[in-house]
Amino acid sequence: MQKHPPEPFRIKMVEPIHLITREERQKAMLLAGYNLFSLKAQDVFIDLLTDSGTGAMSQHQWAAIMAGDESYAGASSYYRLKQTMQNIFGFEYFVPTHQGRAAENILSVILVKPGDIIPSNMHFDTTDANIRARGGNPANCVNKEAFIIHSSSPFKGNMDLEALEQLIRSTEPEQIPFGCITITNNAGGGQPVSLQNIKETAALYHRYGIPFFIDCCRYAENCYFIKQREPGYAEKSLLEIAHEIFSVADGAFMSAKKDAIVNIGGFLAMRDADLFQKVSNELILREGFVTYGGLAGRDLDAMAVGLLEGLEEEYLAYRTGQVAYLAQKLLDVGVPVIEPAGGHAVYIDAGNYLSHIPHQDFPGQALAAALYLEGGIRGVEIGSVMFAHPDPQTGKMNFPELELVRLAIPRRVYTQSHLDYVVEILTQLSRQKISIHGYRITYEPPLLRHFTAHFEPLG
Ligand code: F0G
């Protein structure tokens, strides 16, 4: 197979995009308090803020939307989704939710008590925040390789099983109401977890009687990497690999805005009837009835089709190839990125690229801002703005290990020449990077500050 297979689709509808002038970009940033989340999307040329809900739906998904059944209860759209859910994930129960964090919220409301610890390889920001919002403590036990930027390790998302066991042994059993793993590991470079590691993680949790939930929003990309990289899986279908993954879990939650290639949607799935009852009650209170969960019937249909399209091998070869292409081109021009490339995004090591900017001046934020000012490209900081938290005991700031800028690739949206443009802009930036300065925060909310913080350039 080619290293970077061309798009397995052709384009039938286009959405115009424009590059506004440098002066207009400067004005837009000032107005946005230098927070890229506050920009108007029309002022962005290449939008790599997220791969979440930004994918292009196929003609089959749009056709399915026309068949959406908008009945309040028992819609046929729900039963079509239920069949696909059974086909891929095989859990006894599930509820649709409007997106991933709604599922995380419901799970946290029901299971997390103040002082509880919820382990994972790495929690992503909303999972982390939903646990904290209930007084719990998210704990990351990813293996050390995740923090080595340049590595050829095939499964850098793997759980450090020793660290996990140590954590479990040093905690009262009733203080860990459930344990997680995130596939792929978004906060650590979109890196996959091997099936062996998933099975060993499940066995470890189960040995201590802890229910095991998978945050599976990019499970299809993870399945593809398992097929490519893990001995014994080359001949298996991606569906068989998915079955093997989910067979060892007690539940899963998914933002369908990723690997199900829909603009909105998610689910929470589980095996336990008792938990399902509690989840249903919470869902009805906050999201909607159990057969639609905050979505329209047509959204459920788009999801049912998208879940299967997202698991197609030809599509995943193109998708992971596109991400690998951008990573390689950036390495070729001397921009440090996490290696190997992840499944959905290229992560620039901003801490290293802008080594003259210390943690507390937010090198990731500085690079993300510079990328927009230079070329109208929007990425996202995944570093101290997103993850630095004061130590609850000492009040001293704990900075994350890595200061990253993520360039997330929306699914089926941008072509290779868009990616070449990104490489060009970064090449230009590299020549003047010493003049890029840090930022300071002038406003921040107590949780998830990166979404709404205001910044001011230093110098
Ligand atoms: N879990 C992971 C691993 C995620 O990456 C996200 C979202 C969520 C849960 C929450 O899902 O947005 O549907 O509520 N990540 C997006 C991103 C926002 O840009 O990576 P949601």
Side-chain angles (χ1 to χ4, degrees):
M1 193 185 296
Q2 286 149 295
K3 213 163 156 200
H4 309 296
E7 286 78 1
F9 53 82
R10 52 188 181 174
I11 298 164
K12 181 141 64 178
M13 186 188 281
V14 297
E15 181 181 359
I17 51 175
H18 304 285
L19 179 62
I20 59 173
T21 65
R22 184 180 289 270
E23 292 68 40
E24 287 168 331
R25 296 198 292 274
Q26 275 160 348
K27 212 168 126 198
M29 273 297 256
L30 190 64
L31 271 175
Y34 293 92
N35 187 330
L36 294 149
F37 283 98
S38 300
L39 288 174
K40 288 184 181 157
Q42 66 180 26
D43 292 340
V44 177
F45 184 44
I46 308 288
D47 203 347
L48 308 181
L49 182 70
T50 179
D51 63 321
S52 182
T54 51
M57 289 204 293
S58 69
Q59 59 184 3
H60 301 297
Q61 285 176 291
W62 283 109
I65 275 181
M66 298 308 291
D69 174 355
E70 304 303 341
S71 305
Y72 187 94
S76 45
S77 300
Y78 166 78
Y79 288 102
R80 285 189 283 272
L81 175 61
K82 187 173 176 175
Q83 196 178 357
T84 304
M85 289 289 304
Q86 201 51 46
N87 181 8
I88 299 175
F89 303 99
F91 292 107
E92 280 77 355
Y93 306 100
F94 88 100
V95 294
T97 58
H98 77 272
Q99 60 183 93
R101 72 197 69 182
E104 294 159 13
N105 172 47
I106 291 171
L107 201 60
S108 303
V109 165
I110 295 171
L111 296 180
V112 179
K113 305 178 300 306
D116 281 356
I117 291 180
I118 316 296
S120 188
N121 48 352
M122 282 176 97
H123 294 282
F124 197 58
D125 61 352
T126 55
T127 329
D128 180 291
N130 268 300
I131 294 165
R132 286 180 199 275
R134 301 287 143 201
N137 301 303
N140 294 334
C141 299
V142 73
N143 78 97
K144 306 240 170 341
E145 266 187 323
F147 303 111
I148 301 170
I149 297 281
H150 305 290
S151 148
S152 56
S153 170
F155 292 106
K156 278 166 77 179
N158 278 0
M159 185 79 84
D160 178 339
L161 294 156
E162 256 174 53
L164 178 61
E165 183 150 23
Q166 225 170 32
L167 176 75
I168 296 174
R169 279 165 165 274
S170 63
T171 311
E172 294 299 322
E174 64 279 4
Q175 267 193 306
I176 307 185
F178 66 100
C180 294
I181 204 163
T182 310
I183 59 172
T184 56
N185 180 22
N186 186 14
Q191 300 291 319
V193 181
S194 71
L195 231 162
Q196 186 186 338
N197 190 259
I198 293 172
K199 285 182 182 169
E200 287 171 356
T201 300
L204 183 54
Y205 281 134
H206 289 155
R207 202 172 319 133
Y208 290 90
I210 300 166
F212 172 40
F213 278 77
I214 302 182
D215 177 349
C216 66
C217 45
R218 299 181 182 86
Y219 82 98
E221 289 161 6
N222 203 101
C223 286
Y224 184 77
F225 284 128
I226 287 173
K227 185 172 165 99
Q228 297 298 308
R229 300 176 183 175
E230 189 161 351
Y233 289 95
E235 300 306 321
K236 296 231 159 135
S237 73
L238 296 179
L239 193 59
E240 286 170 320
I241 293 172
H243 288 164
E244 220 172 304
I245 292 175
F246 294 103
S247 69
V248 298
D250 301 291
F253 48 93
M254 177 171 187
S255 167
K257 299 167 75 171
K258 282 82 167 176
D259 275 356
I261 326 180
V262 286
N263 303 124
I264 197 76
F267 67 75
L268 173 58
M270 69 229 83
R271 299 199 188 282
D272 186 273
D274 220 40
L275 179 62
F276 175 62
Q277 198 58 58
K278 291 184 182 138
V279 165
S280 301
N281 295 343
E282 202 55 45
L283 187 86
I284 291 168
L285 185 65
R286 291 167 198 282
E287 286 273 297
F289 188 60
V290 288
T291 58
Y292 72 87
L295 293 167
R298 55 181 170 270
D299 299 327
L300 304 179
D301 270 308
M303 204 163 128
V305 176
L307 276 168
L308 292 173
E309 286 184 5
L311 202 51
E312 278 170 13
E313 204 169 322
E314 195 182 19
Y315 153 74
L316 285 163
Y318 141 74
R319 165 137 185 90
T320 54
Q322 194 183 36
V323 176
Y325 173 85
L326 179 58
Q328 189 54 54
K329 288 279 164 184
L330 288 177
L331 285 169
D332 291 347
V333 297
V335 177
V337 302
I338 290 188
E339 288 180 272
H344 67 293
V346 172
Y347 293 67
I348 302 174
D349 179 6
N352 175 0
Y353 185 71
L354 300 180
S355 55
H356 58 286
I357 304 181
H359 281 297
Q360 61 271 21
D361 296 346
F362 307 120
Q365 168 64 20
L367 177 57
L371 261 174
Y372 176 73
L373 291 168
E374 186 68 20
I377 298 161
R378 175 158 70 170
V380 72
E381 192 259 16
I382 298 195
S384 285
V385 177
M386 195 178 273
F387 284 123
H389 289 287
D391 185 290
Q393 257 94 55
T394 63
K396 208 177 131 236
M397 205 46 123
N398 282 331
F399 291 103
E401 203 110 1
L402 300 177
E403 298 286 352
L404 304 170
V405 169
R406 185 188 71 174
L407 304 177
I409 315 291
R411 292 168 181 76
R412 307 190 290 209
V413 170
Y414 291 114
T415 64
Q416 190 163 308
S417 42
H418 290 120
L419 302 186
D420 288 338
Y421 171 81
V422 174
V423 176
E424 250 175 64
I425 294 298
L426 267 154
T427 310
Q428 263 163 241
L429 269 188
S430 296
R431 288 189 209 112
Q432 63 202 49
K433 66 179 179 169
I434 201 70
S435 65
I436 298 175
H437 44 67
Y439 281 79
R440 92 185 168 84
I441 293 181
T442 56
Y443 160 76
E444 60 178 298
L447 272 178
L448 294 170
R449 66 177 177 178
H450 51 289
F451 286 118
T452 54
H454 301 172
F455 300 90
E456 208 172 67
L458 293 167

